[in-house]
Amino acid sequence: MPSAVRQMFTVSTTPSPRALLTAKDITNTSDEDLRADHERSQELLLNILKHRGLLSAQNAKLISFVDSASPDLAQRRLQLALRIRSRLRARGLHAVHTFRRMMNGIDLHRDGTCFARTLEGVLVHMGVRLKEVEFDRIVTLFSTTTANKVDYVKMLAYCYANWSLQRQNVVREAYDHLAKSCPGGIFHVAALQHHFNSEALTPDLVPGLFEHHSFNEFLFHWNSNVFNADGLVLWLDFADYYLDISFFFDSDVDFCQYVCQSWRVDIDDWVAKSLFHRYASEDNNDVLPEEQFVQMLAELDPMISEEEAIAFYCAIDADKSGEVSLDEFLSSKVLKVKRLFEDVKTHESRVANKEEFLVILHSLNSELTNDEALAVYQYADVDGSGKISFAAFLQNHLLKLLEFFHPFARHRNRSLGETEMRRLLLSQDPDLSEADLRQIYKAVDTDGSGSISFRELCESHVLRAILLFKRFDLDRDKHLTQWELDRLLMYMDDSLTRQQLDVIHGLLTNTNTGCVSIGGLLSPNITRIKFLFDKYDSDRSGYLDVEEFKEMLRDMLSGITDRDIDELVNAIMPSEHSAGLDFTDCISNFSEISKRHELIMLARRRQARLKARSRGLLFKG
């Protein structure tokens, strides 16, 4: 266990401000944030006006932040500007952008002013009809030195105030993302056409919009008037559009999600990358040492428990190097899982029941069938409580398990043969031996059908066994010594005695090497036996009575009848086992159980073959 992670919970520290963790955490509410957002908005507007060659009559001065202590004139201007803005916003996402473009187009002197009646006409064109008293207020509050002219830029400037740091960062991320997709990293207008996701633009954002017009609606606002003749898109060209549509979104969350969806940028990856780089050193901003990772954890969530923090760290530091790389951080998807646990209306904090957990799984991978999602749930519910916590999700390596799902989903029958399974296993660990590969496949294909489904993979707990093996193979030699195996077994069941440990070691050990390989750990498959033992030891006595053992056999062995189970129980549990079977007994008897099960199934197939032959039928199986 990383010492720095544990130290974080033993040393009292001053709480630090909460950092961005997921899209759900993107909020700004304090007065300091509002003032900073206003100044950032005004600065960007000024830069855009200069970029467009447009200066107001007052030389595009920034509008000061308006609060209750501001002069009465400033407050009246703000109230009127916001009233017009709200009516424009009701016309849809692009209304403010369209209005500003039209005003810029008729501003022939490029000084940010126009005749008051011209402004009124543009507003009418946008569907906003001014009352005479409202028109008079515009003339009074935004008049210029020229008669009948108003400063329309100043009126608009009072509206620009919500360009938060989060909004700026997500737009910059989208800009960089598109620039990287262009030759030489130079953003060209063709990237807009190629990468825009038209599904992001909906009738909720643009009233009356037909779905098949979404793409044209978006491109309409990126015409030749926006770019240079060479078609290059500069940062201010890109920010110009998003500063205006920022009006439409009150919530930073909604704005960031719209931007990310528009360009198919994973919002959780963006948040993770931003947070990671904030704590990484300038010399190597793609690696985060353990100490910085701990600091980041504390800021991510001041309420995070020690169990969650340790699971968080272990899930991300996949190569156990003591450092977390940016690739590990992004590929882990841990932040997305945490967001899902927080988004789902769970009854307990970051703890999901069966129904809630299935919702989380389908959010992570919509291709999972209900049957497959249920298998993952049963795999994770180790203690049988029916509840899965965020920490348990990480501790059970469910993200790694879901990685194994993709090859199954690509096949029509959602199953893999031995060759395909070998290829999948070798992609995860190229050093697996032939013997280990055969034993792993045999441990998964419990029914001997010659193909395995994702559900079988979950039920076999083979992945859990492989990850446990790697965790306790301290010298990375692909073998467990007796000391390493003892640590693994005690991790699984700390009640095991020295005598029981020796018995299990004798069953699993290769007589030639005196050590245990991955294949040996699966012959018998002690992880699955332990899971089923704990599942059916309902009274937590450490022993399975006759009825509990029958239920375990029914779950463990496919195609078995009650009569077959009775025969197995009579053979495995004679009178001297009247107290029941403990975990060690189950492991010791696994070979005999498997042998008897194979004989039962062989006899059943032989009987079915003879029956089919007597009827002149061809038996397959």
Side-chain angles (χ1 to χ4, degrees), residues 378 381-385 461 464 489-496 526-544 548 552 555-556 581-584 586:
Q378 293 169 341
D381 187 23
V382 178
D383 59 4
S385 66
H461 293 265
R464 194 190 305 277
L489 293 172
M490 291 300 292
Y491 174 81
M492 294 175 64
D493 187 348
D494 58 8
S495 67
L496 291 173
I526 62 172
T527 51
R528 189 180 186 216
I529 294 172
K530 177 60 177 172
F531 174 81
L532 293 174
F533 184 91
D534 290 343
K535 179 179 179 179
Y536 292 105
D537 181 19
S538 54
D539 55 2
R540 298 294 182 264
S541 63
Y543 290 89
L544 296 182
E548 291 171 337
M552 176 177 169
D555 197 340
M556 179 186 293
L581 298 176
D582 62 16
F583 175 48
T584 309
C586 290

mmCIF file of all heavy atoms in Angstrom, residues 378 381-385 461 464 489-496 526-544 548 552 555-556 581-584 586:
data_model
loop_
_atom_site.group_PDB
_atom_site.id
_atom_site.type_symbol
_atom_site.label_atom_id
_atom_site.label_comp_id
_atom_site.label_asym_id
_atom_site.label_seq_id
_atom_site.Cartn_x
_atom_site.Cartn_y
_atom_site.Cartn_z
ATOM 1 N N GLN A 378 -22.810 -9.567 -10.270
ATOM 2 C CA GLN A 378 -22.578 -10.719 -9.400
ATOM 3 C C GLN A 378 -21.088 -10.926 -9.138
ATOM 4 O O GLN A 378 -20.694 -11.353 -8.052
ATOM 5 C CB GLN A 378 -23.200 -11.969 -10.038
ATOM 6 C CG GLN A 378 -24.723 -11.917 -10.088
ATOM 7 C CD GLN A 378 -25.331 -13.013 -10.949
ATOM 8 O OE1 GLN A 378 -24.657 -13.609 -11.787
ATOM 9 N NE2 GLN A 378 -26.617 -13.279 -10.746
ATOM 10 N N ASP A 381 -20.205 -8.272 -6.448
ATOM 11 C CA ASP A 381 -20.877 -8.396 -5.144
ATOM 12 C C ASP A 381 -20.239 -9.534 -4.342
ATOM 13 O O ASP A 381 -20.870 -10.560 -4.077
ATOM 14 C CB ASP A 381 -22.376 -8.628 -5.356
ATOM 15 C CG ASP A 381 -23.150 -8.594 -4.043
ATOM 16 O OD1 ASP A 381 -22.649 -7.993 -3.076
ATOM 17 O OD2 ASP A 381 -24.243 -9.181 -3.995
ATOM 18 N N VAL A 382 -18.993 -9.334 -3.953
ATOM 19 C CA VAL A 382 -18.233 -10.393 -3.304
ATOM 20 C C VAL A 382 -18.810 -10.750 -1.942
ATOM 21 O O VAL A 382 -18.866 -11.929 -1.565
ATOM 22 C CB VAL A 382 -16.750 -9.971 -3.161
ATOM 23 C CG1 VAL A 382 -15.949 -11.040 -2.446
ATOM 24 C CG2 VAL A 382 -16.149 -9.687 -4.526
ATOM 25 N N ASP A 383 -19.249 -9.740 -1.182
ATOM 26 C CA ASP A 383 -19.741 -10.014 0.164
ATOM 27 C C ASP A 383 -21.212 -10.387 0.210
ATOM 28 O O ASP A 383 -21.754 -10.673 1.284
ATOM 29 C CB ASP A 383 -19.484 -8.818 1.085
ATOM 30 C CG ASP A 383 -20.159 -7.539 0.579
ATOM 31 O OD1 ASP A 383 -20.877 -7.606 -0.445
ATOM 32 O OD2 ASP A 383 -19.961 -6.478 1.192
ATOM 33 N N GLY A 384 -21.870 -10.378 -0.959
ATOM 34 C CA GLY A 384 -23.276 -10.781 -1.009
ATOM 35 C C GLY A 384 -24.232 -9.789 -0.390
ATOM 36 O O GLY A 384 -25.388 -10.109 -0.126
ATOM 37 N N SER A 385 -23.780 -8.546 -0.175
ATOM 38 C CA SER A 385 -24.644 -7.537 0.453
ATOM 39 C C SER A 385 -25.662 -6.958 -0.508
ATOM 40 O O SER A 385 -26.632 -6.326 -0.094
ATOM 41 C CB SER A 385 -23.773 -6.402 1.018
ATOM 42 O OG SER A 385 -23.131 -5.698 -0.044
ATOM 43 N N HIS A 461 -14.192 -15.983 -12.510
ATOM 44 C CA HIS A 461 -13.312 -15.169 -11.658
ATOM 45 C C HIS A 461 -11.842 -15.343 -12.034
ATOM 46 O O HIS A 461 -10.947 -15.147 -11.212
ATOM 47 C CB HIS A 461 -13.523 -15.509 -10.176
ATOM 48 C CG HIS A 461 -14.875 -15.112 -9.672
ATOM 49 N ND1 HIS A 461 -15.122 -13.922 -9.033
ATOM 50 C CD2 HIS A 461 -16.071 -15.756 -9.732
ATOM 51 C CE1 HIS A 461 -16.400 -13.841 -8.711
ATOM 52 N NE2 HIS A 461 -17.002 -14.938 -9.137
ATOM 53 N N ARG A 464 -9.833 -12.096 -11.786
ATOM 54 C CA ARG A 464 -9.494 -11.798 -10.384
ATOM 55 C C ARG A 464 -8.259 -12.600 -9.957
ATOM 56 O O ARG A 464 -7.366 -12.078 -9.281
ATOM 57 C CB ARG A 464 -10.686 -12.134 -9.491
ATOM 58 C CG ARG A 464 -10.574 -11.565 -8.087
ATOM 59 C CD ARG A 464 -11.654 -12.126 -7.178
ATOM 60 N NE ARG A 464 -12.981 -11.922 -7.694
ATOM 61 C CZ ARG A 464 -13.682 -10.805 -7.549
ATOM 62 N NH1 ARG A 464 -13.145 -9.771 -6.931
ATOM 63 N NH2 ARG A 464 -14.906 -10.699 -8.036
ATOM 64 N N LEU A 489 -3.115 -16.099 -0.052
ATOM 65 C CA LEU A 489 -4.208 -16.845 0.598
ATOM 66 C C LEU A 489 -4.715 -16.115 1.834
ATOM 67 O O LEU A 489 -5.928 -16.081 2.085
ATOM 68 C CB LEU A 489 -3.727 -18.251 0.965
ATOM 69 C CG LEU A 489 -3.411 -19.181 -0.212
ATOM 70 C CD1 LEU A 489 -2.765 -20.476 0.285
ATOM 71 C CD2 LEU A 489 -4.678 -19.499 -1.004
ATOM 72 N N MET A 490 -3.810 -15.515 2.596
ATOM 73 C CA MET A 490 -4.232 -14.777 3.789
ATOM 74 C C MET A 490 -4.997 -13.519 3.404
ATOM 75 O O MET A 490 -5.873 -13.058 4.146
ATOM 76 C CB MET A 490 -3.011 -14.413 4.633
ATOM 77 C CG MET A 490 -2.328 -15.608 5.291
ATOM 78 S SD MET A 490 -3.430 -16.518 6.406
ATOM 79 C CE MET A 490 -3.655 -15.327 7.715
ATOM 80 N N TYR A 491 -4.675 -12.948 2.241
ATOM 81 C CA TYR A 491 -5.452 -11.815 1.740
ATOM 82 C C TYR A 491 -6.887 -12.253 1.426
ATOM 83 O O TYR A 491 -7.840 -11.514 1.697
ATOM 84 C CB TYR A 491 -4.785 -11.251 0.489
ATOM 85 C CG TYR A 491 -5.585 -10.171 -0.207
ATOM 86 C CD1 TYR A 491 -5.576 -8.862 0.243
ATOM 87 C CD2 TYR A 491 -6.373 -10.479 -1.325
ATOM 88 C CE1 TYR A 491 -6.308 -7.874 -0.382
ATOM 89 C CE2 TYR A 491 -7.113 -9.501 -1.956
ATOM 90 C CZ TYR A 491 -7.084 -8.199 -1.495
ATOM 91 O OH TYR A 491 -7.821 -7.232 -2.112
ATOM 92 N N MET A 492 -7.019 -13.463 0.890
ATOM 93 C CA MET A 492 -8.349 -13.978 0.567
ATOM 94 C C MET A 492 -9.114 -14.395 1.817
ATOM 95 O O MET A 492 -10.325 -14.201 1.905
ATOM 96 C CB MET A 492 -8.223 -15.167 -0.395
ATOM 97 C CG MET A 492 -7.675 -14.813 -1.762
ATOM 98 S SD MET A 492 -7.416 -16.261 -2.811
ATOM 99 C CE MET A 492 -9.089 -16.858 -3.003
ATOM 100 N N ASP A 493 -8.406 -14.981 2.790
ATOM 101 C CA ASP A 493 -9.065 -15.479 4.009
ATOM 102 C C ASP A 493 -8.048 -15.444 5.145
ATOM 103 O O ASP A 493 -7.182 -16.331 5.252
ATOM 104 C CB ASP A 493 -9.574 -16.902 3.792
ATOM 105 C CG ASP A 493 -10.411 -17.409 4.965
ATOM 106 O OD1 ASP A 493 -10.401 -16.753 6.025
ATOM 107 O OD2 ASP A 493 -11.065 -18.460 4.821
ATOM 108 N N ASP A 494 -8.131 -14.427 5.992
ATOM 109 C CA ASP A 494 -7.134 -14.264 7.056
ATOM 110 C C ASP A 494 -7.351 -15.215 8.228
ATOM 111 O O ASP A 494 -6.595 -15.182 9.212
ATOM 112 C CB ASP A 494 -7.091 -12.827 7.554
ATOM 113 C CG ASP A 494 -8.433 -12.340 8.071
ATOM 114 O OD1 ASP A 494 -9.362 -13.170 8.189
ATOM 115 O OD2 ASP A 494 -8.573 -11.125 8.334
ATOM 116 N N SER A 495 -8.366 -16.095 8.134
ATOM 117 C CA SER A 495 -8.613 -17.061 9.215
ATOM 118 C C SER A 495 -7.905 -18.394 8.970
ATOM 119 O O SER A 495 -7.974 -19.299 9.808
ATOM 120 C CB SER A 495 -10.115 -17.300 9.375
ATOM 121 O OG SER A 495 -10.644 -17.965 8.239
ATOM 122 N N LEU A 496 -7.232 -18.536 7.831
ATOM 123 C CA LEU A 496 -6.566 -19.803 7.501
ATOM 124 C C LEU A 496 -5.433 -20.084 8.486
ATOM 125 O O LEU A 496 -4.651 -19.195 8.839
ATOM 126 C CB LEU A 496 -6.014 -19.755 6.074
ATOM 127 C CG LEU A 496 -7.045 -19.738 4.935
ATOM 128 C CD1 LEU A 496 -6.347 -19.503 3.597
ATOM 129 C CD2 LEU A 496 -7.846 -21.034 4.888
ATOM 130 N N ILE A 526 -9.053 -21.465 -7.201
ATOM 131 C CA ILE A 526 -9.361 -21.155 -5.804
ATOM 132 C C ILE A 526 -10.122 -19.840 -5.656
ATOM 133 O O ILE A 526 -10.846 -19.647 -4.681
ATOM 134 C CB ILE A 526 -8.083 -21.125 -4.947
ATOM 135 C CG1 ILE A 526 -7.129 -20.032 -5.415
ATOM 136 C CG2 ILE A 526 -7.397 -22.477 -4.944
ATOM 137 C CD1 ILE A 526 -5.949 -19.831 -4.488
ATOM 138 N N THR A 527 -9.976 -18.909 -6.607
ATOM 139 C CA THR A 527 -10.714 -17.644 -6.495
ATOM 140 C C THR A 527 -12.214 -17.876 -6.658
ATOM 141 O O THR A 527 -13.019 -17.293 -5.940
ATOM 142 C CB THR A 527 -10.231 -16.635 -7.546
ATOM 143 O OG1 THR A 527 -10.248 -17.250 -8.834
ATOM 144 C CG2 THR A 527 -8.828 -16.166 -7.237
ATOM 145 N N ARG A 528 -12.577 -18.731 -7.615
ATOM 146 C CA ARG A 528 -13.997 -19.018 -7.798
ATOM 147 C C ARG A 528 -14.544 -19.831 -6.628
ATOM 148 O O ARG A 528 -15.669 -19.596 -6.156
ATOM 149 C CB ARG A 528 -14.218 -19.777 -9.101
ATOM 150 C CG ARG A 528 -15.704 -19.911 -9.431
ATOM 151 C CD ARG A 528 -15.960 -20.646 -10.704
ATOM 152 N NE ARG A 528 -17.376 -20.615 -11.036
ATOM 153 C CZ ARG A 528 -18.036 -21.612 -11.616
ATOM 154 N NH1 ARG A 528 -17.390 -22.723 -11.936
ATOM 155 N NH2 ARG A 528 -19.311 -21.510 -11.888
ATOM 156 N N ILE A 529 -13.746 -20.789 -6.157
ATOM 157 C CA ILE A 529 -14.194 -21.592 -5.020
ATOM 158 C C ILE A 529 -14.410 -20.700 -3.802
ATOM 159 O O ILE A 529 -15.409 -20.838 -3.086
ATOM 160 C CB ILE A 529 -13.164 -22.702 -4.713
ATOM 161 C CG1 ILE A 529 -13.102 -23.702 -5.872
ATOM 162 C CG2 ILE A 529 -13.518 -23.423 -3.423
ATOM 163 C CD1 ILE A 529 -11.992 -24.721 -5.740
ATOM 164 N N LYS A 530 -13.491 -19.761 -3.575
ATOM 165 C CA LYS A 530 -13.621 -18.869 -2.422
ATOM 166 C C LYS A 530 -14.854 -17.990 -2.558
ATOM 167 O O LYS A 530 -15.588 -17.768 -1.583
ATOM 168 C CB LYS A 530 -12.361 -18.004 -2.319
ATOM 169 C CG LYS A 530 -12.403 -16.967 -1.202
ATOM 170 C CD LYS A 530 -12.566 -17.614 0.163
ATOM 171 C CE LYS A 530 -12.539 -16.571 1.266
ATOM 172 N NZ LYS A 530 -12.895 -17.144 2.585
ATOM 173 N N PHE A 531 -15.093 -17.456 -3.771
ATOM 174 C CA PHE A 531 -16.267 -16.610 -3.993
ATOM 175 C C PHE A 531 -17.549 -17.388 -3.697
ATOM 176 O O PHE A 531 -18.439 -16.896 -2.993
ATOM 177 C CB PHE A 531 -16.274 -16.104 -5.435
ATOM 178 C CG PHE A 531 -17.512 -15.340 -5.808
ATOM 179 C CD1 PHE A 531 -17.650 -14.010 -5.464
ATOM 180 C CD2 PHE A 531 -18.553 -15.959 -6.497
ATOM 181 C CE1 PHE A 531 -18.802 -13.302 -5.792
ATOM 182 C CE2 PHE A 531 -19.701 -15.262 -6.831
ATOM 183 C CZ PHE A 531 -19.820 -13.928 -6.471
ATOM 184 N N LEU A 532 -17.651 -18.607 -4.236
ATOM 185 C CA LEU A 532 -18.859 -19.405 -4.033
ATOM 186 C C LEU A 532 -18.978 -19.859 -2.584
ATOM 187 O O LEU A 532 -20.092 -19.917 -2.032
ATOM 188 C CB LEU A 532 -18.853 -20.618 -4.971
ATOM 189 C CG LEU A 532 -18.984 -20.295 -6.460
ATOM 190 C CD1 LEU A 532 -18.815 -21.557 -7.310
ATOM 191 C CD2 LEU A 532 -20.337 -19.653 -6.757
ATOM 192 N N PHE A 533 -17.851 -20.173 -1.952
ATOM 193 C CA PHE A 533 -17.884 -20.587 -0.545
ATOM 194 C C PHE A 533 -18.464 -19.472 0.318
ATOM 195 O O PHE A 533 -19.371 -19.692 1.133
ATOM 196 C CB PHE A 533 -16.474 -20.954 -0.086
ATOM 197 C CG PHE A 533 -16.417 -21.478 1.321
ATOM 198 C CD1 PHE A 533 -16.523 -22.843 1.577
ATOM 199 C CD2 PHE A 533 -16.264 -20.609 2.400
ATOM 200 C CE1 PHE A 533 -16.488 -23.322 2.884
ATOM 201 C CE2 PHE A 533 -16.231 -21.079 3.702
ATOM 202 C CZ PHE A 533 -16.341 -22.447 3.951
ATOM 203 N N ASP A 534 -17.945 -18.254 0.142
ATOM 204 C CA ASP A 534 -18.448 -17.126 0.937
ATOM 205 C C ASP A 534 -19.901 -16.809 0.601
ATOM 206 O O ASP A 534 -20.672 -16.402 1.477
ATOM 207 C CB ASP A 534 -17.590 -15.890 0.678
ATOM 208 C CG ASP A 534 -16.192 -16.021 1.267
ATOM 209 O OD1 ASP A 534 -15.993 -16.890 2.130
ATOM 210 O OD2 ASP A 534 -15.295 -15.263 0.851
ATOM 211 N N LYS A 535 -20.280 -17.010 -0.659
ATOM 212 C CA LYS A 535 -21.642 -16.712 -1.082
ATOM 213 C C LYS A 535 -22.654 -17.617 -0.380
ATOM 214 O O LYS A 535 -23.735 -17.157 0.028
ATOM 215 C CB LYS A 535 -21.753 -16.872 -2.597
ATOM 216 C CG LYS A 535 -23.136 -16.602 -3.166
ATOM 217 C CD LYS A 535 -23.131 -16.762 -4.680
ATOM 218 C CE LYS A 535 -24.528 -16.515 -5.273
ATOM 219 N NZ LYS A 535 -24.521 -16.655 -6.749
ATOM 220 N N TYR A 536 -22.310 -18.902 -0.221
ATOM 221 C CA TYR A 536 -23.277 -19.863 0.329
ATOM 222 C C TYR A 536 -23.046 -20.184 1.800
ATOM 223 O O TYR A 536 -23.847 -20.911 2.397
ATOM 224 C CB TYR A 536 -23.273 -21.138 -0.518
ATOM 225 C CG TYR A 536 -23.834 -20.890 -1.901
ATOM 226 C CD1 TYR A 536 -22.999 -20.804 -3.011
ATOM 227 C CD2 TYR A 536 -25.195 -20.654 -2.075
ATOM 228 C CE1 TYR A 536 -23.518 -20.524 -4.274
ATOM 229 C CE2 TYR A 536 -25.712 -20.368 -3.332
ATOM 230 C CZ TYR A 536 -24.870 -20.313 -4.425
ATOM 231 O OH TYR A 536 -25.387 -20.015 -5.667
ATOM 232 N N ASP A 537 -21.984 -19.643 2.386
ATOM 233 C CA ASP A 537 -21.803 -19.770 3.834
ATOM 234 C C ASP A 537 -22.652 -18.685 4.487
ATOM 235 O O ASP A 537 -22.144 -17.697 5.026
ATOM 236 C CB ASP A 537 -20.324 -19.617 4.196
ATOM 237 C CG ASP A 537 -20.074 -19.772 5.692
ATOM 238 O OD1 ASP A 537 -20.942 -20.345 6.374
ATOM 239 O OD2 ASP A 537 -19.019 -19.303 6.160
ATOM 240 N N SER A 538 -23.951 -18.884 4.439
ATOM 241 C CA SER A 538 -24.908 -17.840 4.833
ATOM 242 C C SER A 538 -24.802 -17.467 6.301
ATOM 243 O O SER A 538 -25.065 -16.325 6.674
ATOM 244 C CB SER A 538 -26.340 -18.284 4.517
ATOM 245 O OG SER A 538 -26.615 -19.533 5.103
ATOM 246 N N ASP A 539 -24.427 -18.420 7.166
ATOM 247 C CA ASP A 539 -24.335 -18.119 8.596
ATOM 248 C C ASP A 539 -22.929 -17.664 9.003
ATOM 249 O O ASP A 539 -22.655 -17.458 10.181
ATOM 250 C CB ASP A 539 -24.748 -19.328 9.432
ATOM 251 C CG ASP A 539 -23.947 -20.584 9.071
ATOM 252 O OD1 ASP A 539 -23.046 -20.488 8.199
ATOM 253 O OD2 ASP A 539 -24.240 -21.647 9.635
ATOM 254 N N ARG A 540 -22.032 -17.537 8.015
ATOM 255 C CA ARG A 540 -20.663 -17.089 8.239
ATOM 256 C C ARG A 540 -19.952 -17.911 9.326
ATOM 257 O O ARG A 540 -19.176 -17.392 10.122
ATOM 258 C CB ARG A 540 -20.641 -15.599 8.617
ATOM 259 C CG ARG A 540 -21.172 -14.666 7.541
ATOM 260 C CD ARG A 540 -20.255 -14.692 6.332
ATOM 261 N NE ARG A 540 -20.683 -13.781 5.276
ATOM 262 C CZ ARG A 540 -21.417 -14.144 4.225
ATOM 263 N NH1 ARG A 540 -21.790 -15.415 4.087
ATOM 264 N NH2 ARG A 540 -21.768 -13.265 3.304
ATOM 265 N N SER A 541 -20.200 -19.205 9.311
ATOM 266 C CA SER A 541 -19.595 -20.095 10.303
ATOM 267 C C SER A 541 -18.222 -20.580 9.889
ATOM 268 O O SER A 541 -17.479 -21.141 10.693
ATOM 269 C CB SER A 541 -20.497 -21.316 10.529
ATOM 270 O OG SER A 541 -20.616 -22.088 9.324
ATOM 271 N N GLY A 542 -17.876 -20.383 8.601
ATOM 272 C CA GLY A 542 -16.620 -20.913 8.095
ATOM 273 C C GLY A 542 -16.749 -22.335 7.601
ATOM 274 O O GLY A 542 -15.755 -22.947 7.181
ATOM 275 N N TYR A 543 -17.986 -22.870 7.633
ATOM 276 C CA TYR A 543 -18.259 -24.229 7.157
ATOM 277 C C TYR A 543 -19.521 -24.225 6.306
ATOM 278 O O TYR A 543 -20.437 -23.430 6.535
ATOM 279 C CB TYR A 543 -18.456 -25.194 8.332
ATOM 280 C CG TYR A 543 -17.196 -25.486 9.108
ATOM 281 C CD1 TYR A 543 -16.811 -24.677 10.182
ATOM 282 C CD2 TYR A 543 -16.391 -26.580 8.783
ATOM 283 C CE1 TYR A 543 -15.664 -24.943 10.902
ATOM 284 C CE2 TYR A 543 -15.230 -26.856 9.495
ATOM 285 C CZ TYR A 543 -14.873 -26.034 10.552
ATOM 286 O OH TYR A 543 -13.732 -26.297 11.248
ATOM 287 N N LEU A 544 -19.563 -25.122 5.339
ATOM 288 C CA LEU A 544 -20.772 -25.333 4.543
ATOM 289 C C LEU A 544 -21.456 -26.599 5.015
ATOM 290 O O LEU A 544 -20.842 -27.680 5.010
ATOM 291 C CB LEU A 544 -20.424 -25.469 3.051
ATOM 292 C CG LEU A 544 -19.812 -24.268 2.333
ATOM 293 C CD1 LEU A 544 -19.583 -24.605 0.865
ATOM 294 C CD2 LEU A 544 -20.710 -23.043 2.444
ATOM 295 N N GLU A 548 -26.069 -25.981 2.197
ATOM 296 C CA GLU A 548 -25.249 -24.922 1.627
ATOM 297 C C GLU A 548 -24.307 -25.474 0.558
ATOM 298 O O GLU A 548 -24.096 -24.858 -0.493
ATOM 299 C CB GLU A 548 -24.446 -24.238 2.739
ATOM 300 C CG GLU A 548 -25.297 -23.411 3.700
ATOM 301 C CD GLU A 548 -24.520 -22.925 4.907
ATOM 302 O OE1 GLU A 548 -23.494 -23.553 5.245
ATOM 303 O OE2 GLU A 548 -24.941 -21.936 5.528
ATOM 304 N N MET A 552 -24.012 -24.591 -3.486
ATOM 305 C CA MET A 552 -22.738 -24.228 -4.107
ATOM 306 C C MET A 552 -22.472 -25.095 -5.336
ATOM 307 O O MET A 552 -22.057 -24.598 -6.382
ATOM 308 C CB MET A 552 -21.605 -24.388 -3.088
ATOM 309 C CG MET A 552 -20.221 -24.119 -3.661
ATOM 310 S SD MET A 552 -18.931 -24.235 -2.397
ATOM 311 C CE MET A 552 -17.463 -24.219 -3.425
ATOM 312 N N ASP A 555 -24.564 -24.083 -8.310
ATOM 313 C CA ASP A 555 -24.055 -22.871 -8.949
ATOM 314 C C ASP A 555 -22.755 -23.146 -9.709
ATOM 315 O O ASP A 555 -22.503 -22.590 -10.776
ATOM 316 C CB ASP A 555 -23.808 -21.802 -7.880
ATOM 317 C CG ASP A 555 -23.666 -20.401 -8.468
ATOM 318 O OD1 ASP A 555 -23.375 -20.297 -9.671
ATOM 319 O OD2 ASP A 555 -23.845 -19.424 -7.730
ATOM 320 N N MET A 556 -21.929 -24.029 -9.182
ATOM 321 C CA MET A 556 -20.607 -24.285 -9.747
ATOM 322 C C MET A 556 -20.655 -25.152 -10.992
ATOM 323 O O MET A 556 -19.898 -24.923 -11.957
ATOM 324 C CB MET A 556 -19.717 -24.971 -8.691
ATOM 325 C CG MET A 556 -18.313 -25.314 -9.182
ATOM 326 S SD MET A 556 -17.384 -26.263 -7.962
ATOM 327 C CE MET A 556 -17.181 -25.049 -6.669
ATOM 328 N N LEU A 581 -18.031 -28.688 5.467
ATOM 329 C CA LEU A 581 -16.765 -28.524 4.767
ATOM 330 C C LEU A 581 -16.258 -27.098 4.937
ATOM 331 O O LEU A 581 -17.023 -26.147 4.777
ATOM 332 C CB LEU A 581 -16.932 -28.817 3.272
ATOM 333 C CG LEU A 581 -17.364 -30.232 2.867
ATOM 334 C CD1 LEU A 581 -17.566 -30.294 1.351
ATOM 335 C CD2 LEU A 581 -16.349 -31.266 3.300
ATOM 336 N N ASP A 582 -14.966 -26.951 5.254
ATOM 337 C CA ASP A 582 -14.395 -25.602 5.276
ATOM 338 C C ASP A 582 -13.791 -25.294 3.905
ATOM 339 O O ASP A 582 -13.837 -26.114 2.990
ATOM 340 C CB ASP A 582 -13.373 -25.435 6.404
ATOM 341 C CG ASP A 582 -12.177 -26.370 6.260
ATOM 342 O OD1 ASP A 582 -11.981 -26.924 5.153
ATOM 343 O OD2 ASP A 582 -11.441 -26.560 7.241
ATOM 344 N N PHE A 583 -13.212 -24.111 3.780
ATOM 345 C CA PHE A 583 -12.662 -23.669 2.499
ATOM 346 C C PHE A 583 -11.582 -24.630 1.999
ATOM 347 O O PHE A 583 -11.539 -24.989 0.814
ATOM 348 C CB PHE A 583 -12.101 -22.251 2.666
ATOM 349 C CG PHE A 583 -11.405 -21.703 1.464
ATOM 350 C CD1 PHE A 583 -11.986 -21.782 0.201
ATOM 351 C CD2 PHE A 583 -10.161 -21.101 1.574
ATOM 352 C CE1 PHE A 583 -11.339 -21.271 -0.930
ATOM 353 C CE2 PHE A 583 -9.505 -20.583 0.466
ATOM 354 C CZ PHE A 583 -10.095 -20.675 -0.786
ATOM 355 N N THR A 584 -10.727 -25.086 2.893
ATOM 356 C CA THR A 584 -9.658 -26.005 2.510
ATOM 357 C C THR A 584 -10.219 -27.330 2.023
ATOM 358 O O THR A 584 -9.716 -27.919 1.050
ATOM 359 C CB THR A 584 -8.713 -26.240 3.700
ATOM 360 O OG1 THR A 584 -8.306 -24.984 4.244
ATOM 361 C CG2 THR A 584 -7.472 -27.008 3.266
ATOM 362 N N CYS A 586 -13.038 -27.794 0.522
ATOM 363 C CA CYS A 586 -13.598 -27.581 -0.822
ATOM 364 C C CYS A 586 -12.502 -27.609 -1.880
ATOM 365 O O CYS A 586 -12.673 -28.191 -2.956
ATOM 366 C CB CYS A 586 -14.347 -26.256 -0.875
ATOM 367 S SG CYS A 586 -15.884 -26.233 0.070
#
